[in-house]
Amino acid sequence: MPTEGEGDTGDPDSGAPGPRRRRPRRLLTRSTTRAEKARALRGLGALGGLAGVLVALMLLPTACTAGVGARDAAGWFESEPDGLTTSGVPQRSKILAADGSTIATFFYQNRVDVPMNKIAPIVREAVLAIEDSRFYEHGAIDTQGTLRALATNLSSGQVDQGGSGITQQYVKNLLLTQADSDAERQAAKEISAARKIRELRYAVALEKRYSKDEILRRYLNIAYYGDGAYGVEAAARHYFSKHASELNLPEAALLAGVIRYPYAYDPTRHPGAARQRRDTVLDRMADLGRLDRGKAEAAKRQPIKLDVDNVRSGCVSSKAPFFCDYVQREILTNPVFGKTAVDREKLLKRGGLTIRTTLDRRAQKAAQRAVDGHVPQKNSAHKAAAEAMVEPGTGDIKAMVVDRELGPDKERGKTWINFAADASHGSSIGMQAGSTFKAFTLAAALDEGLPFGTRLMAPRAYTPVGYRNCDGDRVGDPTASLRNAADGEGGREFSIVTGTHHSVNTFFLALEKKVGLCDTVKMAERLGMKQANGKPLEEYPSFTLGFNPVSPLRMAAAYAAFGARGKYCRPIAIREIRNPAGKKLKVPGRDCKQAMDEGVADAVNYVLRGVLTKGTARGMGLGRDAAGKTGTVDNFSAAWFAGYTPDLAAAVWVGDPRGGYKHPMESLCMDGQCYGAVFGATIPAPIWRQSMLGALSHTEPGSFHRPPSRYFSKGSGEDRAKVPDVRGMRPAEAVARLRAAGFRARIGAPVPSRRYPKGTVAGMSPGPGSAEPGNTITLYVSRGSKRGEAGGRPGRGGGQRAPVPPATSTPRAGDPAQQAPA
């Protein structure tokens, strides 16, 4: 029967009671005015009326002689009310990485439902002692407790005791928890006869439906324990960082005491009041014989020892915030998880889901370190970077990072926008991809059977005419002049291999025209590409130069198809979802298809691997088979690198969230380091390399396959041309001769020579012979012979050959002379 400290005289999550035990507040005193007395008497009258109704209802089932009306009333009261449901009690959902570690939790109420065998028996004893000591003896309504509370309250002129047992308290909490609107919540808390009668009907029905043990279990899991903890398991984890099954006597008594007034007895806010309440519970357990008096006194001497674990809801506190946000948006937007947005949000925040994802923690950490290391969160230039990693052949998203914290954009170093994902999963409108789109033109050309040795003229300027889109319409601007930007290349022929390695814009415009604009677009679409806003790719001649705004995630998934020998898989983040009962829920399945023949993909890999060894990103290799492509957006408004191995693909974007054209990276200095103009190999490629090395550190290297022999029908594509001997010529004449032969030239340091007159070319590196077209030949101009040197005139016996010029150094990755921005 409820006694001191029992019942539900206050709202279970109300902050109304003070932190200390309140002295009874008498309704009628000497100072009470006549109007106040009248209101008080009316209140007691209402209390008496409500009590009369309750007593009548309690007596109805036994009033067998009261006639048909009484029998009907009793039948109505004992019948199960319409709409009675015990479902929908919010439980927290958790998102897990692939290894089972927790990424984030989501909840309306921080609750973890547990079975009775996962709750320490001492907890049940403590709660029963203080809340409803006769729970197993009475039915849904504790007649003795209710009458005693009524008599006490009427005699004192105030509410000293409550008459609700555990079943009634469970019903009240259940109705409040299931309320979806303010009106429903108000109805669940209002003080009225109608509410009380409804709760009593529910209590009667539940006692018929469930055993006492099950009702007690449900009560322990639904009760509010203060400080955001709902249910005994969440409370045990929150206050003591342990499971409910591990609670000891003082801890159990403390939690049992909190239930009546969760705010007043919250041990984090009011430790003194919480300890007094704990001791009251211990005394009550001893009085009832549920606990030895000596053990109770020993427990009372122990101080409150908390080990608070604050669990935050959502992705903000996650160690993988933008991946977490991607998963959250997938659930909130995909109809497979519910017909309406409200249904999907309820599923996530109330459903108690266990969501196992594809995230690889090693890859995530490596990517975050690389991005933050090269583009710090609060860098002085306000630049940003994002990276997505996808596994070839599965589409599993292994990592997703942004060099920001997840939060309000108005705070420096934070953003709500996931630059790594599309608008549907991160609010980003995407970024122009630059020369990374040339890979789709390359793939389309190889798909049509063009061999590596196919050579096309790459003029210094290109007028885009003669193109048709997929509707057959002519597109192009006869007044436009597309160039090779800062790379300075052009004016000669390139092969498919060398044109790709040097990323020559005009070469790819010519290749796209030869292949067909529509075929190039369709190849990109087969590899999953679309604009970040969800719209189809726009079709214009400069398509191959990457003007379409896309996301790093789509780019990584497309390049992953090359690593998977042409098998494209739509990127996925969720592997499995289970409900609290362990049942699997439906999730979007893998959507994989063969986007191109394996041999075509092998040929793409053959060409793109040279970008890392002899092309625009040379020096960025991984020590294993790898390939990729740089991308520099026009006017240096952004830079990209997309690359892959047979085991992992990744795409990196670096740019300015304020607008790349308004804030270009043409003369970038960031946190004391100056880069000059930023190309794809300047910052994005090093980020890619560092993150890939870390992500693959425990993965055995895979290997690319040799392309079919048909692609070598015109040679390797790296055919060598004769380098003319220009020694003895004036520098201007020598440079013109080399350029006419398809080579570039640069002037090195002067060298002494008696063989070649001062001011003429005395040496060249590499020397006369053969070399790949497009190579740079360094010329060394003679500064004449030093006085006293032996030897004769050139061509005479006894003469001395010019000293061997120093070998040219390999230009660093990112050198403007080695780049082909688009």
Side-chain angles (χ1 to χ4, degrees):
M1 178 167 59
T3 59
E4 185 270 338
E6 297 184 37
D8 68 339
T9 56
D11 187 357
D13 57 353
S14 169
R20 297 182 179 279
R21 176 174 167 79
R22 297 181 301 173
R23 295 182 60 189
R25 184 175 66 84
R26 301 195 62 83
L27 299 177
L28 305 178
T29 66
R30 292 180 179 178
S31 62
T32 304
T33 66
R34 183 172 299 177
E36 290 172 337
K37 289 179 180 179
R39 285 196 297 271
L41 289 174
R42 287 196 296 271
L44 285 176
L47 175 62
L50 174 58
V53 173
L54 300 182
V55 172
L57 289 172
M58 289 186 286
L59 296 177
L60 274 174
T62 61
C64 298
T65 61
V68 176
R71 287 198 305 271
D72 291 343
W76 169 84
F77 184 71
E78 290 194 309
S79 64
E80 186 163 301
D82 294 335
L84 173 62
T85 176
T86 57
S87 63
V89 176
Q91 298 186 53
R92 72 186 190 188
S93 297
K94 56 184 178 181
I95 298 178
L96 308 180
D99 63 0
S101 59
T102 300
I103 298 172
T105 56
F106 289 87
F107 50 81
Y108 283 131
Q109 297 177 352
N110 180 20
R111 177 183 287 105
V112 181
D113 196 271
V114 291
M116 189 68 90
N117 62 8
K118 294 295 182 67
I119 302 174
I122 194 63
V123 175
R124 305 197 295 268
E125 293 294 332
V127 171
L128 287 171
I130 200 65
E131 289 296 321
D132 190 351
S133 60
R134 297 181 61 254
F135 174 66
Y136 283 94
E137 300 170 24
H138 63 70
I141 305 172
D142 182 6
T143 306
Q144 293 184 24
T146 300
L147 291 175
R148 174 180 295 181
L150 174 63
T152 301
N153 295 338
L154 288 175
S155 65
S156 65
Q158 62 193 13
V159 180
D160 284 328
Q161 294 185 9
S164 295
I166 279 179
T167 304
Q168 294 175 53
Q169 292 184 53
Y170 167 63
V171 168
K172 181 178 180 179
N173 279 282
L174 181 63
L175 294 174
L176 186 60
T177 297
Q178 292 177 338
D180 288 327
S181 65
D182 291 339
E184 290 177 350
R185 281 186 284 272
Q186 183 60 37
K189 295 190 293 185
E190 67 178 356
I191 301 175
S192 68
R195 192 212 84 187
K196 197 66 178 180
I197 292 171
R198 181 176 60 159
E199 290 179 3
L200 290 172
R201 285 194 71 203
Y202 277 5
V204 170
L206 291 177
E207 290 258 357
K208 291 181 178 180
R209 184 185 294 184
Y210 301 115
S211 67
K212 286 284 190 177
D213 285 346
E214 177 61 14
I215 292 174
L216 178 59
R217 184 196 74 80
R218 289 168 176 263
Y219 174 70
L220 294 173
N221 278 296
I222 202 173
Y224 181 52
Y225 293 83
D227 206 27
Y230 291 82
V232 66
E233 176 68 13
R237 296 185 191 183
H238 174 65
Y239 290 119
F240 306 113
S241 295
K242 61 174 61 175
H243 295 289
S245 61
E246 302 169 324
L247 293 171
N248 58 32
L249 174 60
E251 294 165 345
L254 180 72
L255 293 185
V258 169
I259 294 175
R260 184 180 182 189
Y261 294 132
Y263 179 81
Y265 299 129
D266 179 349
T268 65
R269 292 184 174 89
H270 309 295
R275 181 168 182 171
Q276 290 181 14
R277 178 66 174 169
R278 179 202 67 178
D279 294 349
T280 298
V281 174
L282 292 168
D283 287 338
R284 177 62 177 164
M285 294 175 71
D287 291 343
L288 293 171
R290 297 177 184 269
L291 179 66
D292 179 78
R293 178 65 67 177
K295 291 183 178 179
E297 293 301 322
K300 288 167 63 177
R301 288 193 292 271
Q302 293 188 31
I304 292 178
K305 298 178 181 179
L306 301 179
D307 184 7
V308 177
D309 178 17
N310 286 310
V311 177
R312 299 176 64 185
S313 177
C315 297
V316 171
S317 59
S318 173
K319 292 184 178 179
F322 291 94
F323 177 85
C324 170
D325 186 61
Y326 183 93
V327 173
Q328 176 185 208
R329 290 172 187 260
E330 173 69 13
I331 294 175
L332 294 179
T333 59
N334 196 322
V336 74
F337 298 110
K339 293 182 178 180
T340 68
V342 173
D343 292 338
R344 296 189 288 269
E345 185 174 9
K346 282 185 178 180
L347 177 67
L348 176 62
K349 297 185 178 180
R350 302 177 66 141
L353 306 178
T354 299
I355 305 163
R356 189 173 295 274
T357 71
T358 60
L359 184 80
D360 183 318
R361 289 200 304 160
R362 178 178 289 107
Q364 179 73 16
K365 290 180 180 179
Q368 194 70 63
R369 281 195 298 266
V371 165
D372 290 345
H374 288 84
V375 187
Q377 289 184 359
K378 299 180 181 180
N379 64 81
S380 59
H382 302 281
K383 303 307 176 194
E387 181 174 18
M389 289 182 157
V390 175
E391 183 177 62
T394 67
D396 287 357
I397 303 172
K398 294 298 185 179
M400 182 179 290
V401 302
V402 176
D403 72 324
R404 295 285 192 273
E405 294 180 16
L406 187 64
D409 297 75
K410 62 183 180 181
E411 297 183 34
R412 190 178 176 195
K414 295 184 178 182
T415 184
W416 290 120
I417 300 175
N418 185 351
F419 296 114
D422 285 356
S424 61
H425 288 76
S427 302
S428 173
I429 60 174
M431 294 74 69
Q432 290 185 337
S435 294
T436 54
F437 257 51
K438 290 173 181 173
F440 306 132
T441 308
L442 169 67
L446 296 172
D447 189 50
E448 294 189 5
L450 296 183
F452 297 137
T454 301
R455 304 183 72 83
L456 296 173
M457 182 64 185
R460 297 187 182 280
Y462 193 97
T463 300
V465 293
Y467 295 82
R468 291 184 182 271
N469 62 22
C470 291
D471 292 329
D473 301 328
R474 291 185 179 275
V475 291
D477 183 0
T479 65
S481 180
L482 301 179
R483 298 179 177 273
N484 291 311
D487 65 350
E489 293 199 76
R492 69 176 182 87
E493 286 188 344
F494 289 88
S495 71
I496 283 180
V497 173
T498 57
T500 302
H501 291 174
H502 295 285
S503 193
V504 184
N505 289 356
T506 56
F507 172 83
F508 270 92
L509 288 164
L511 183 62
E512 180 185 58
K513 185 175 181 180
K514 182 178 182 66
V515 171
L517 171 59
C518 183
D519 287 350
T520 299
V521 171
K522 286 183 176 179
M523 175 58 73
E525 291 176 342
R526 278 153 54 186
L527 294 172
M529 296 307 298
K530 63 172 63 174
Q531 293 187 67
N533 60 14
K535 295 181 180 180
L537 298 169
E538 293 189 354
E539 304 171 25
Y540 295 100
S542 54
F543 179 91
T544 191
L545 305 184
F547 70 85
N548 276 284
V550 298
S551 69
L553 178 60
R554 284 198 180 272
M555 188 65 69
Y559 274 62
F562 299 142
R565 304 192 72 195
K567 181 182 179 182
Y568 169 77
C569 296
R570 182 182 60 84
I572 62 171
I574 300 173
R575 284 183 176 171
E576 176 187 281
I577 298 181
R578 293 182 182 267
N579 66 13
K583 181 181 179 182
K584 286 186 178 181
L585 303 184
K586 183 179 180 181
V587 300
R590 297 188 188 278
D591 183 10
C592 297
K593 61 183 179 182
Q594 196 69 30
M596 67 186 74
D597 291 341
E598 291 183 348
V600 176
D602 295 338
V604 172
N605 300 337
Y606 173 84
V607 177
L608 291 184
R609 68 188 301 179
V611 174
L612 297 173
T613 58
K614 61 192 74 170
T616 53
R618 60 180 170 273
M620 291 291 116
L622 304 177
R624 62 169 75 201
D625 279 3
K629 185 70 189 72
T630 53
T632 308
V633 183
D634 61 312
N635 297 325
F636 301 100
S637 57
W640 288 71
F641 188 84
Y644 58 97
T645 72
D647 308 296
L648 187 64
V652 179
W653 163 83
V654 176
D656 198 307
R658 300 170 298 175
Y661 287 101
K662 189 176 181 180
H663 302 279
M665 296 186 292
E666 194 167 7
S667 300
L668 178 66
C669 288
M670 182 168 56
D671 293 351
Q673 183 172 357
C674 292
Y675 298 90
V678 175
F679 297 86
T682 309
I683 300 176
I687 291 176
W688 176 86
R689 182 176 187 273
Q690 180 182 338
S691 61
M692 290 287 283
L693 287 172
L696 295 171
S697 59
H698 289 70
T699 302
E700 289 294 322
S703 299
F704 292 139
H705 291 70
R706 179 175 174 79
S709 59
R710 67 179 182 272
Y711 289 108
F712 295 94
S713 61
K714 293 186 178 182
S716 67
E718 300 181 16
D719 299 334
R720 302 172 73 85
K722 184 178 180 180
V723 180
D725 188 351
V726 296
R727 290 174 295 184
M729 296 181 182
R730 291 289 178 180
E733 181 185 4
V735 169
R737 179 75 178 275
L738 288 170
R739 286 183 174 176
F743 299 96
R744 291 186 293 176
R746 64 182 294 268
I747 305 300
V751 296
S753 174
R754 295 188 61 211
R755 183 175 183 181
Y756 296 102
K758 182 178 180 181
T760 63
V761 175
M764 48 192 296
S765 178
S770 63
E772 181 187 344
N775 276 6
T776 299
I777 310 298
T778 303
L779 304 178
Y780 298 91
V781 179
S782 170
R783 64 169 182 252
S785 62
K786 293 182 179 179
R787 183 173 299 178
E789 287 183 334
R793 290 188 302 175
R796 298 289 182 94
Q800 182 176 339
R801 293 182 62 87
V804 178
T808 57
S809 60
T810 302
R812 67 176 179 84
D815 189 317
Q818 307 303 318
Q819 302 298 311

